[in-house]
């Protein structure tokens, strides 16, 4: 750090990132980060999720989990909106992440062609 302004900027950035992890009554995206997921590209999916949320300035909780149990469908994410069933999306690309956030997280419409499971 070369100045107090740089330190304050870093503090604000970290606080904003931590806010995304807060629990509560907001949308949640869970990224499968088991070894099978990582091998299938889950790190890029996580980066795409965080970038899209940042770009849209959304109040969404993002977490990571280990193996979800559907290794052949990796990379996987779960989307849970308050009061709605949890949806698991699989075989994802970074472009799919943008579509899921735009259609499901923002507009509440499940992206049916990417769904691999619904959980009540």
């Amino acid at each position: 750090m070369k100045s107090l302004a740089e330190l304050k900027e870093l503090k604000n950035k970290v606080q904003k990132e931590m806010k995304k992890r807060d629990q509560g009554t907001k949308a949640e995206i869970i990224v499968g980060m088991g070894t099978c997921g990582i091998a299938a590209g889950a790190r890029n999916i996580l980066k795409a999720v965080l970038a899209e949320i940042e770009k849209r300035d959304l109040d969404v909780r993002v977490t990571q989990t280990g193996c979800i149990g559907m290794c052949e469908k990796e990379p996987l994410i779960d989307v849970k909106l308050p009061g709605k069933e949890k949806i698991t999306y699989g075989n994802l690309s970074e472009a799919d992440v943008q579509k899921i956030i735009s259609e499901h997280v923002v507009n509440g419409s499940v992206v049916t062609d990417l769904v691999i499971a619904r959980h009540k």
Side-chain angles (χ1 to χ4, degrees):
M1 296 289 120
K2 294 181 181 178
S3 70
L4 184 57
E6 283 183 83
L7 182 59
K8 286 180 181 179
E9 183 179 330
L10 178 61
K11 176 186 170 188
N12 290 336
K13 180 179 177 185
V14 170
Q15 285 178 330
K16 191 171 184 180
E17 288 297 317
M18 293 304 293
K19 184 178 176 186
K20 291 177 188 174
R21 298 174 186 231
D22 286 343
Q23 293 184 1
T25 57
K26 59 178 151 183
E28 179 179 16
I29 298 175
I30 305 162
V31 182
M33 294 290 286
T35 54
C36 52
I38 292 169
R43 282 191 178 114
N44 290 337
I45 296 302
L46 177 60
K47 288 177 186 177
V49 166
L50 293 172
E52 192 68 17
I53 288 170
E54 178 75 22
K55 180 176 93 176
R56 294 172 175 271
D57 195 29
L58 299 175
D59 187 18
V60 175
R61 179 175 178 233
V62 178
T63 59
Q64 301 173 35
T65 190
C67 183
I68 294 176
M70 295 182 266
C71 302
E72 71 281 358
K73 303 288 187 184
E74 291 285 359
L76 297 164
I77 65 170
D78 289 334
V79 174
K80 176 73 174 100
L81 300 181
K84 305 286 184 180
E85 65 184 343
K86 180 171 66 173
I87 303 293
T88 300
Y89 293 102
N91 297 314
L92 299 176
S93 69
E94 292 173 44
D96 294 332
V97 169
Q98 293 174 343
K99 184 176 182 180
I100 291 166
I101 291 176
S102 173
E103 293 183 22
H104 190 169
V105 177
V106 173
N107 294 316
S109 299
V110 175
V111 183
T112 55
D113 60 319
L114 298 174
V115 172
I116 59 169
R118 294 174 179 262
H119 313 272
K120 296 195 181 213

